[in-house]
Amino acid sequence: MVFTQSYLLKSVKKPIRNYLRSRFLDTLRLTTKGGHGGNGLPKYGGVGGQGGAVYFVAKEGKSLRDVVTKYPNKRAVAGNGEESSKARILGRRGTDQKVEVPVGIRVLDDEAGSITELDEEGKTYLASGGGSGGCSGNSFLGKPGQLRTLTLDLKLIADVGLVGFPNAGKSTLVKAISNASPKIASYPFTTIRPQIATIEYEDYRQITIADLPGLIEGAHANFGMGHKFLKHVERTRLLLIMVDVFGFQLSQQHRKRNCLETVYALNKELELYDPTLLDKPCALIINKMDKEGAVDEICKYERYFHSLQDGLKMCPEELIPSKLLTIDAVVPISAKSMKEIEKVKHEVRTILDLKAAEKLHMDWPSTRVAQGGLFHAPKARYTKETQDLIKVLMEEAKLTILQRNKINYHLRNGEPLPVPKEPKFEQEYSNFLPVAIPRKNIKKRSLHTIIESGAFDVEKYVPHKPKEPIEKVKLKLQEQMSGIKMFPDDGRRRRRVLRSKSEGCMDYVPPDRASELLEEINERVQWLEEMEALGEGKKHRATIQLQIAEKLNELKRLDRAKSQENEI
C-alpha cells in the first residue's frame, strides 16, 4: 500500500510556476559521449570503424535554450563505428555529433577548469573523441568512446555593458535608447536576467548593449549571484556605469550611499572580481535628474567624477579601491522623461570609435598619398618640444582618456587643437530645471471683456498700520498669559489691578509662594526617586539636589520676612 501511494505521488508532477521559468539560460551542464569503436574480423584481418566524435560548434543566433530543446536529456551521443565483415573489411566511421552552441561559450571541466572559449563564428571544439576500431593491436575489439560531463558557460558578447546598483534606471535607459521593451518598475531587482538590446543610428550603425541585473555590495564574492552577472561584463568593450543622483540604499539595515560613494562601491566590486575590467573605457550616467533637488545634489560631487583620485577623502575606508576607474564622459540624464538620451548615444559611439581607431593605429591622411586637394589637405607639423609641452599640460590638467585621445588625434593628424569649452551651469543642467508649460488653445479676449474682468481697475491705496513696539507687544502677551494687568514703569505710581483668567473679576488672589516652593521641592524629590529606581539617579542627583537647596533657601527667606512683619 505504501509503495503504491509513493508511486502515485511521484507520478503527479507539480507544474513549474511562471516566475521560476527562466527564459534566459547562461549555464548548462551537458554530458557528451563518443561512439564505440566497431569490432574487427580476425579471420580476414578486418578493422572495425572508429566511433564518432562530439563537437561543439559556435554559431550566431543560437542559445543554450535551443541546446536544451534539441537534447532534453542533456546528453549528446555520437554514433558507433561499423563492425568489420566479409562484405566490408574496413568498417565505416561512426556519425559525428555536432552540437551548435551560441557564440561566447566558455567550456568548463570539473577537473581541468576552463578548457576553451568559443568566441568566434564557426569555431569548434572536440568535446568527446570516439573509440578506436578493433584491429590486431587490440585483439580486434573496439574501444569505448570518451565520456565527459562539461559545463557550457555563456558570456554575452556586447559592445556596451550596463552596470549599476538595483533601481538605478538601467532598464528605463535601455528602453529609451533602443527598441527593447524590458520590464520596468519602481522597486529593486526588476531585471533578474541579462538582456541584449541594439542601439540604432540614422546612418544604420548598430551598437549592442547588455542590460545586466543590479549588483549589490559583495557581488565579487558571489553575493546576490554576483558572478553570474559580472561574467557578462568581461567581453564588453565599454562599461556604462549608471548611478542614481540621490544614491542607493539596499535596505534599512544597510548604510545609505550618496552618488559619489556609489561610484566607488561599483569600482571596488569590479576590481575585486577582475582587476582587468578597470582597464576598459568607462562612461558615467547619472540618472533621475528630473526630481526635485537633483541639480543641487549633483553640484556637490561633479568636480570629483572626472578625477576620482581627488574624491577619495570623502570615500569611506571600506570602499577605497586600490585601482580607480578612468571615466571618459559624465552624462546627467533623466531616462524616464527622455532628457539627454541622444547625448548618451553620441558619447557611447564617440568612445567606441576612438578606441577602435587607437587599436588599429589609423593614420589619416595617409603619408603615401600626395598632399593637397580638397580631401587631402596638407598637415601641420608639430615639433617634438611642442608635443612634449602639450603632454605635460595634459598631465597637469588631469584630463580624461577621452579628452587626451582627442588631442592626440589632432596632434597626429596635424590639425588645430580643439578649443576647451567649460560647461556652464545654465548649459549643463538647464534641461532639468522646471519649466512653465503654457496652456494650449488660448483664445484672444476682446477689450470689452478685459475691462469687465477688472484688469484695469486700480486698487484703493490703504496705508499700512505702523507696527507696535516690541516691548508693548511683550507686555500684552504677559497680560494674556498671567491674567494680571501690567503697566509700564514711567515714574508714576499706579495701582496693581488683579484680574481673573476666566471671568475677569477683581477677587483674584495670587497663589502663596511658600506653598508653591513646597510643591516644587516635592516634585523634584519624587522625580529623583524615580530616576534612582531606573538606575539613572547618579546622572541627575547633583543637579536636583542643587535645585532643592535653592528652593529651601528661598523658603527660609520668606519665613524670615514674615516673622519680621509679624514683629512690627
Side-chain angles (χ1 to χ4, degrees):
M1 182 65 183
V2 176
F3 174 78
T4 306
Q5 185 177 3
S6 61
Y7 178 77
L8 292 174
L9 289 175
K10 285 182 179 179
S11 61
V12 179
K13 294 184 179 180
K14 294 182 67 176
I16 301 176
R17 298 182 182 179
N18 292 330
Y19 72 93
L20 294 176
R21 293 179 178 176
S22 176
R23 296 181 181 178
F24 180 79
L25 191 64
D26 56 358
T27 303
L28 177 63
R29 194 174 178 84
L30 190 67
T31 302
T32 59
K33 182 180 180 182
H36 198 289
N39 296 327
L41 189 60
K43 184 176 180 179
Y44 299 101
V47 179
Q50 185 180 2
V54 180
Y55 293 93
F56 292 150
V57 183
K59 190 173 182 180
E60 292 284 354
K62 290 291 181 179
S63 65
L64 290 181
R65 181 65 60 188
D66 298 333
V67 179
V68 174
T69 304
K70 188 174 181 180
Y71 305 98
N73 297 328
K74 300 180 182 179
R75 288 176 61 87
V77 183
N80 298 327
E82 185 183 19
E83 295 186 359
S84 177
S85 63
K86 293 187 294 182
R88 189 180 296 275
I89 297 297
L90 298 177
R92 287 178 289 191
R93 176 185 172 87
T95 307
D96 293 336
Q97 187 70 34
K98 293 185 178 181
V99 182
E100 294 180 347
V101 296
V103 179
I105 282 292
R106 180 177 60 168
V107 183
L108 304 174
D109 193 0
D110 294 339
E111 299 177 357
S114 179
I115 303 174
T116 186
E117 294 189 1
L118 306 178
D119 52 0
E120 296 179 4
E121 171 77 20
K123 196 172 182 179
T124 60
Y125 170 71
L126 177 62
S128 295
S132 58
C135 60
S136 59
N138 55 13
S139 303
F140 296 96
L141 295 176
K143 298 295 183 181
Q146 190 179 10
L147 177 64
R148 301 175 71 184
T149 301
L150 302 174
T151 301
L152 303 180
D153 188 27
L154 175 62
K155 292 182 180 178
L156 296 178
I157 299 179
D159 298 319
V160 182
L162 193 55
V163 182
F165 284 125
N167 206 28
K170 299 184 292 298
S171 299
T172 309
L173 175 64
V174 170
K175 184 178 181 181
I177 64 178
S178 67
N179 295 327
S181 55
K183 183 180 179 181
I184 299 173
S186 60
Y187 54 83
F189 301 106
T190 307
T191 304
I192 58 177
R193 302 180 189 92
Q195 299 180 12
I196 290 185
T198 303
I199 307 174
E200 296 183 354
Y201 294 86
E202 295 181 355
D203 57 351
Y204 302 103
R205 170 77 181 277
Q206 291 184 345
I207 294 176
T208 55
I209 180 171
D211 179 18
L212 305 180
L215 304 177
I216 61 174
E217 293 186 26
H220 68 278
N222 207 22
F223 285 103
M225 297 189 293
H227 289 179
K228 191 173 182 181
F229 302 148
L230 283 172
K231 67 181 182 181
H232 297 293
V233 189
E234 297 179 15
R235 289 180 178 166
T236 57
R237 295 193 293 153
L238 170 65
L239 295 180
L240 201 61
I241 294 182
M242 192 167 189
V243 298
D244 189 339
V245 68
F246 294 104
F248 171 71
Q249 185 179 16
L250 182 62
S251 63
Q252 296 296 331
Q253 289 78 19
H254 294 77
R255 180 181 173 183
K256 175 70 182 295
R257 307 286 188 190
N258 58 42
C259 59
L260 183 61
E261 293 175 351
T262 305
V263 176
Y264 286 118
L266 291 171
N267 189 346
K268 186 75 171 180
E269 294 301 327
L270 293 174
E271 179 193 14
L272 293 175
Y273 176 74
D274 187 0
T276 59
L277 294 176
L278 303 182
D279 298 330
K280 296 179 180 291
C282 173
L284 178 62
I285 307 297
I286 303 175
N287 192 24
K288 303 184 181 180
M289 290 295 299
D290 56 334
K291 291 189 176 181
E292 185 178 356
V295 175
D296 298 335
E297 189 71 18
I298 195 175
C299 288
K300 297 178 184 177
Y301 312 106
E302 63 176 349
R303 61 181 178 273
Y304 303 118
F305 289 142
H306 283 293
S307 180
L308 296 178
Q309 185 69 33
D310 298 339
L312 287 177
K313 58 186 177 182
M314 304 178 62
C315 178
E317 186 176 355
E318 66 273 11
L319 297 181
I320 297 178
S322 57
K323 185 178 180 181
L324 293 171
L325 283 166
T326 303
I327 298 177
D328 297 324
V330 180
V331 185
I333 67 166
S334 172
K336 186 177 180 181
S337 57
M338 301 285 290
K339 291 183 178 179
E340 300 296 327
I341 296 300
E342 291 299 326
K343 188 175 181 181
V344 175
K345 297 170 67 175
H346 173 72
E347 292 292 343
V348 168
R349 181 171 182 172
T350 303
I351 296 174
L352 290 177
D353 290 346
L354 284 174
K355 292 300 175 182
E358 183 181 351
K359 186 176 180 181
L360 295 175
H361 300 286
M362 293 179 62
D363 186 14
W364 181 258
S366 175
T367 56
R368 295 178 294 178
V369 181
Q371 301 292 323
L374 180 61
F375 300 101
H376 200 185
K379 297 189 297 183
R381 295 182 181 274
Y382 290 96
T383 61
K384 188 177 183 301
E385 292 78 8
T386 304
Q387 295 181 7
D388 294 339
L389 176 61
I390 292 174
K391 289 180 180 179
V392 172
L393 293 175
M394 286 193 294
E395 290 291 337
E396 293 180 353
K398 296 182 179 180
L399 299 182
T400 64
I401 291 179
L402 181 64
Q403 293 170 333
R404 294 180 186 182
N405 289 340
K406 287 182 179 179
I407 295 175
N408 290 330
Y409 178 81
H410 286 274
L411 285 175
R412 187 169 59 249
N413 295 336
E415 298 178 0
L417 297 180
V419 179
K421 296 180 180 179
E422 296 184 0
K424 298 182 179 179
F425 176 82
E426 293 81 3
Q427 299 174 356
E428 193 73 18
Y429 306 118
S430 59
N431 294 337
F432 305 108
L433 297 177
V435 180
I437 303 175
R439 293 182 299 171
K440 296 182 179 180
N441 301 327
I442 300 178
K443 296 182 179 179
K444 292 184 178 181
R445 297 184 298 172
S446 61
L447 179 60
H448 179 70
T449 308
I450 296 174
I451 294 174
E452 287 185 349
S453 64
F456 292 102
D457 296 342
V458 181
E459 295 183 359
K460 187 178 180 181
Y461 173 73
V462 178
H464 293 286
K465 188 177 180 181
K467 294 184 178 179
E468 293 183 294
I470 297 178
E471 296 299 327
K472 191 173 182 181
V473 174
K474 287 182 179 179
L475 289 174
K476 286 186 177 181
L477 291 175
Q478 291 178 7
E479 292 175 8
Q480 295 176 3
M481 298 296 293
S482 62
I484 303 175
K485 183 67 177 178
M486 308 290 293
F487 293 98
D489 189 9
D490 52 0
R492 294 179 294 176
R493 296 179 59 85
R494 297 179 182 273
R495 188 165 60 92
R496 195 176 189 185
V497 181
L498 303 179
R499 295 182 179 177
S500 176
K501 292 183 180 180
S502 58
E503 301 178 359
C505 58
M506 301 297 292
D507 56 353
Y508 174 72
V509 179
D512 187 13
R513 180 57 182 165
S515 59
E516 287 182 356
L517 290 172
L518 290 175
E519 289 180 3
E520 292 176 358
I521 291 172
N522 291 332
E523 287 178 358
R524 283 162 174 74
V525 171
Q526 292 177 2
W527 186 83
L528 185 60
E529 291 177 354
E530 293 177 357
M531 291 295 105
E532 294 285 356
L534 295 173
E536 299 289 335
K538 186 177 179 181
K539 188 186 301 183
H540 308 284
R541 189 181 299 123
T543 305
I544 298 300
Q545 288 178 353
L546 181 62
Q547 293 179 2
I548 292 174
E550 292 177 354
K551 303 292 181 186
L552 290 174
N553 291 334
E554 188 178 354
L555 191 61
K556 289 178 182 178
R557 288 195 296 270
L558 290 175
D559 291 338
R560 196 179 300 115
K562 272 189 179 181
S563 61
Q564 291 177 359
E565 290 179 359
N566 294 333
E567 289 177 1
I568 294 174

